[in-house]
Amino acid sequence: MPSSSPTKQVDRARPLLGTLVAIRASGLPETEANRVIDAAFAEVADIHRLMSFHEPDSDLTRLNRMALAQPVVVDERTYQVMGQALEFARVSAGIFDPTVAGRLVAWGFLPSAHLSRKPNQRASWRDIELLTSNKIRFHRPLWVDFGGIAKGYAVDRAIECMAKLSLGQYLVNAGGDLRVSGSASERVFLRLGTPPKDGMIPAIEISNGSVASSSGREHVRTVRGKKVGPHVHGQEHGPVGLRSFVSVVSERCVIADALTKIVLANGPRSAAILRKYEATAYLHNARHGWRTLGAGHDEDQVSSPNTTG
Amino acid sequence: MRYQFMMFPAAIVASISAQAEDFLTVDKAQQLIFPGATFTPSDLTLSEAQVDQLIQLTNATVFRSRVKAWKVSTGGWFFLDQVPGRDDRITYAIGLNDDGSVKGIEILVCVASYDGVRQAGWRSQFQGKLHADGPNLANQIANITGTTLSVEHIAEGVKRVLATHALFIANKTG
């Protein structure tokens, strides 16, 4: 029998969720590792199919087209992500808002295909109602996009799917939003969008947890004379994070992913929300350098990170 | 969960991210997409007219006229393709069923590197220091987090391979 003894690790990658999703399984025979990774990719592909803003048949597109007229039944996973998105909207008083897709379409970050009725300017997350039996209904014309959390959710589901199937150690990395299971620590370099000036590069070492990052720096474009980016302030509807970068560490990747958007928009004022989710943020901008916020930090302290080596 | 924020000298990071991330060999990708099958090399060389036809149909960039392809014993085709990635080329495999639908896609090689670190000029200032770092950093695949890597080039490549199959393989073999 080929490859029956545990191998060091198997690494695979596929283009999904609009990015490269890399999955690693360690401590399993190669055939077993590949079986487990196949199942994880299938789960991520499902989430991609269900929650894509681009696909005409996704749950998300069906919601955006029909949930105003009548309750729409969605997959349990879509329902869960919507519940999670609404929770973040509530705790951040709407700074995180999954209904900002109209803005992203107007700025050219999302396509407008498949959608006819324009969103109401005053529509917000408050106009989304979760009904029983995986049914969702909208109360104003609006467009939902899960760009803020679907990747993190997919990473969590992939890790959980593999952990259920076999007893290995796993890493799932969806274009930089990643989760590692097991006690071995993983090193993640933070790409700030500008080349390092002082010859030092930041990194986070993590075991049994998640890291997600967001920044608007690399995708700034000008629309009607105004600089915009891929992240939108849910209350003010303006762009956020055009000059800052944030990485959030949390146990679950969906939490880390969503919290990056809140920290980009709200800076040090996000400390309480971070603590609520036992998450820590490393926020960087040119003016303040690095700041550490949230769990394990009383104030928004200006950190002087340890230098190894 | 345990975690720690750290700063690393860029020279060390340069030495790590200088390595390409090898996911799979061609053999392994073939067996993952078409388990148990055998593969007959069946490369195509597209004429200039065919390249034009391909560009016209897909709007995709055609990087080379030679197409790496294998006919699969159990039915279908296996293609090897390269597209530009963020820092370097991405090599990927795509398996097609007989009807031209996608059976599977696997990434073979992708270079993920830290911003600018792979650029020769920027790296040259660290030449000679590259091997001075601790051995604990050797053989480490670089995880990099930041603005999401876009894979639109892969999507474009897949479109080009699908069209190549439809125009110059499926058409020919009936």
Side-chain angles (χ1 to χ4, degrees), chain A:
Chain A
M1 286 289 289
S3 49
S4 57
S5 61
T7 49
K8 218 172 81 191
Q9 63 185 46
V10 173
D11 284 285
R12 306 242 314 261
R14 286 186 189 169
L16 284 165
L17 305 166
T19 188
L20 212 60
V21 177
I23 301 183
R24 170 187 298 168
S26 317
L28 296 174
E30 189 178 339
T31 43
E32 174 74 353
N34 276 319
R35 185 181 73 91
V36 166
I37 292 174
D38 277 339
F41 273 131
E43 181 70 21
V44 176
D46 272 357
I47 292 164
H48 175 116
R49 183 175 49 77
L50 292 166
M51 300 178 210
S52 163
F53 191 83
H54 308 73
E55 305 282 338
D57 306 321
S58 71
D59 271 1
L60 202 62
T61 302
R62 290 193 308 117
L63 284 170
N64 286 336
R65 275 175 27 203
M66 305 185 304
L68 181 67
Q70 65 198 44
V72 171
V73 181
V74 295
D75 187 276
E76 195 185 342
R77 291 164 286 189
T78 310
Y79 190 81
Q80 275 178 12
V81 172
M82 185 68 96
Q84 188 83 74
L86 294 180
E87 180 187 319
F88 282 117
R90 196 169 56 246
V91 299
S92 70
I95 288 170
F96 181 97
D97 190 331
T99 70
V100 295
R103 227 16 91 133
L104 293 172
V105 170
W107 294 346
F109 290 102
L110 285 175
S112 61
H114 324 301
L115 301 169
S116 45
R117 186 197 272 267
K118 289 256 176 270
N120 182 316
Q121 289 292 326
R122 284 185 313 194
S124 76
W125 62 279
R126 290 189 176 82
D127 301 305
I128 300 171
E129 187 182 3
L130 291 182
L131 305 165
T132 52
S133 321
N134 297 336
K135 277 193 271 214
I136 298 173
R137 153 159 229 176
F138 296 169
H139 294 288
R140 270 188 176 142
L142 57 87
W143 292 346
V144 166
D145 164 51
F146 287 149
I149 61 172
K151 263 204 284 297
Y153 178 78
V155 168
D156 286 334
R157 290 290 297 208
I159 287 278
E160 285 156 17
C161 164
M162 292 191 287
K164 243 183 262 167
L165 286 173
S166 204
L167 222 68
Q169 301 210 327
Y170 306 111
L171 167 73
V172 178
N173 183 345
D177 293 345
L178 60 96
R179 176 164 166 182
V180 50
S181 79
S183 52
S185 75
E186 199 63 43
R187 183 172 298 130
V188 186
F189 293 103
L190 317 187
R191 169 156 42 203
L192 271 56
T194 48
K197 285 197 187 90
D198 54 1
M200 300 298 281
I201 288 175
I204 292 170
E205 269 189 359
I206 184 157
S207 59
N208 254 321
S210 304
V211 179
S213 303
S214 286
S215 169
R217 272 179 186 159
E218 282 188 76
H219 294 292
V220 175
R221 42 176 88 153
T222 306
V223 175
R224 276 178 243 111
K226 204 181 143 207
K227 285 205 160 79
V228 297
H231 305 296
V232 186
H233 195 294
Q235 292 170 338
E236 298 163 7
H237 292 181
V240 299
L242 300 184
R243 290 162 192 223
S244 40
F245 171 96
V246 66
S247 286
V248 173
V249 173
S250 166
E251 245 175 69
R252 285 164 59 205
C253 198
V254 67
I255 303 227
D257 195 4
L259 289 176
T260 60
K261 279 66 181 189
I262 294 174
V263 177
L264 271 193
N266 220 19
R269 280 165 300 185
S270 322
I273 294 177
L274 287 160
R275 269 189 229 112
K276 174 180 162 67
Y277 288 98
E278 296 177 351
T280 303
Y282 301 97
L283 175 64
H284 182 270
N285 62 29
R287 190 159 156 223
H288 294 102
W290 283 103
R291 283 177 292 176
T292 309
L293 312 168
H297 299 273
D298 295 336
E299 298 296 323
D300 58 301
Q301 72 181 58
V302 179
S303 70
S304 47
N306 346 323
T307 304
T308 54

Side-chain angles (χ1 to χ4, degrees), chain B residues 117-144:
Chain B
V117 171
R118 272 184 68 81
Q119 286 160 20
W122 195 86
R123 276 183 65 201
S124 64
Q125 61 183 305
F126 301 110
Q127 289 300 324
K129 291 193 212 161
L130 294 184
H131 302 288
D133 55 84
N136 60 323
L137 289 168
N139 299 324
Q140 214 187 67
I141 290 178
N143 289 304
I144 295 168

